[in-house]
Every structure is written in C-alpha cells, then in structure tokens.
Amino acid sequence: ERFTEEESYEWLLSFQELRSFLEPYLVKTNRLLLVGCGNSDFSADLYDAGFQNIVNIDFSETVIDRMREKNVQRTGMEWTVMDMTDMV
C-alpha cells in the first residue's frame, strides 16, 4: 500500500494555495471535517493556522494510523477510519 512508504501527498491543492479562498468562510472555533484526508498535510496546515478542532477521516487504516502518529502534538485533531460512502 502506498501509504506505508509515502510521507505526504497533495492530490489537488495545498492549504496555502487555497487559504485566501477558504478563510473568509471558516470560523476558527468550528469543528471541521476533512473527508478522504489521506496523507496530505492540509489538515496540519489548517491546524497550524489556528483551526484546531479538526476531524480527519479516510478508509485506509494504515494512513490514519500514520497520520495520527505524525500529528500527535496537534491536540484537538481526530483521526478516524471511515468510508465516506457510509455517511448517511
């Protein structure tokens, strides 16, 4: 599985590239859900920008375990193995 060796990957755009578009719509105290977080640094960058109540979901247990370990110092972030197609 690619997540066992790959450190991080932005499949679309990074938070820094989207920051000016997103920040007007985000409230730092709100809970944010990142669906299909993968091993992207997007949620870590969000957290470091002051959005610290983040739930990250992905169907890969490997990626969730690695990201939970990588971001252990970022309290308030949740990492959950979940398939987004099960959200009803």
Side-chain angles (χ1 to χ4, degrees):
E1 189 170 284
R2 85 173 218 236
F3 296 123
T4 59
E5 296 178 16
E6 187 176 72
E7 187 62 30
S8 69
Y9 179 76
E10 300 296 340
W11 65 269
L12 187 56
L13 296 172
S14 70
F15 174 66
Q16 295 307 322
E17 292 170 299
L18 293 171
R19 186 175 188 158
S20 64
F21 300 104
L22 292 176
E23 279 192 322
Y25 303 101
L26 300 176
V27 177
K28 291 190 178 189
T29 56
N30 284 359
R31 194 169 193 200
L32 303 177
L33 174 65
L34 270 74
V35 177
C37 64
N39 60 355
S40 167
D41 289 327
F42 198 96
S43 62
D45 293 341
L46 264 172
Y47 185 96
D48 294 345
F51 303 93
Q52 298 184 347
N53 190 1
I54 303 171
V55 177
N56 299 278
I57 67 168
D58 199 283
F59 69 91
S60 171
E61 186 173 350
T62 301
V63 79
I64 291 296
D65 288 345
R66 290 196 69 207
M67 295 303 285
R68 184 183 294 121
E69 183 179 310
K70 181 179 178 179
N71 293 284
V72 69
Q73 77 283 6
R74 292 181 173 97
T75 59
M77 286 182 93
E78 294 179 35
W79 299 92
T80 303
V81 177
M82 180 186 295
D83 186 335
M84 69 177 185
T85 63
D86 293 336
M87 298 174 69
V88 178

